[in-house]
Amino acid sequence: MGRPDLLSAWAALLSDVRALGVEPRRCLFRSTEGFNVPTVRAHGTDRHGRSSPGFVEGWHVAGYRGPPRDFAEVLYGSAFDEVEAQLRTGQGDSALSKCPDTPDAHLLVYRRAALVRVHVKQYAFRGRGPDAAVRALLHVRPFRLDP
């Protein structure tokens, strides 16, 4: 069995997504720290303005697929089925399972069709330019465990 304490947080997030008229299976989920939320709201990603030395140069060597992308254009995320499996089995990790250990955690919800898988649990925004991440972002929700 996984972490039953996470079930209510997951259910609340899914309710939010459905209220927006979106099927959660069509989403990608990511966690972030609360201090990143203003950047996420403004730019669609918490990686905006950040870089990782050698990321683009090591793209193909590290096993990434497709044309090289900048660090800020790629994010770690969890598909609906990955979160569900982690909740059910307790095996592995997901955007949701990382939240209890993340300061002031927030869950980010992206339109999965706006991203393309480039590596294990890593996705790049389909579009290019400064608005690609903003267009992909669907919802931001604070993470809360029921007391």
Side-chain angles (χ1 to χ4, degrees):
M1 178 69 173
R3 293 207 35 188
D5 58 332
L6 296 178
L7 291 175
S8 63
W10 181 237
L13 179 64
L14 297 183
S15 178
D16 284 0
V17 171
R18 288 184 178 111
L20 294 169
V22 177
E23 168 55 42
R25 288 185 182 278
R26 302 181 96 155
C27 296
L28 189 75
F29 304 91
R30 175 173 171 76
S31 60
T32 194
E33 296 89 349
F35 65 81
N36 285 323
V37 170
T39 300
V40 170
R41 290 193 190 284
H43 303 285
T45 177
D46 53 2
R47 287 188 167 190
H48 175 78
R50 294 173 46 205
S51 63
S52 178
F55 185 77
V56 172
E57 296 78 9
W59 182 268
H60 291 295
V61 173
Y64 286 82
R65 292 180 264 177
R69 304 292 289 272
D70 289 335
F71 178 76
E73 295 178 279
V74 178
L75 55 83
Y76 278 94
S78 300
F80 175 88
D81 290 338
E82 292 171 326
V83 176
E84 289 278 316
Q86 196 281 322
L87 282 171
R88 191 174 51 258
T89 66
Q91 300 298 309
D93 62 7
S94 71
L96 182 67
S97 68
K98 292 180 178 187
C99 287
D101 297 323
T102 301
D104 188 23
H106 282 67
L107 286 158
L108 311 179
V109 182
Y110 291 93
R111 291 173 181 84
R112 192 165 177 188
L115 295 126
V116 60
R117 187 170 182 248
V118 294
H119 205 284
V120 177
K121 295 187 180 190
Q122 294 186 65
Y123 299 81
F125 298 106
R126 280 194 189 276
R128 291 291 189 137
D131 293 334
V134 172
R135 288 189 308 268
L137 183 66
L138 179 67
H139 187 56
V140 177
R141 179 180 183 40
F143 171 80
R144 304 259 190 293
L145 285 175
D146 280 345

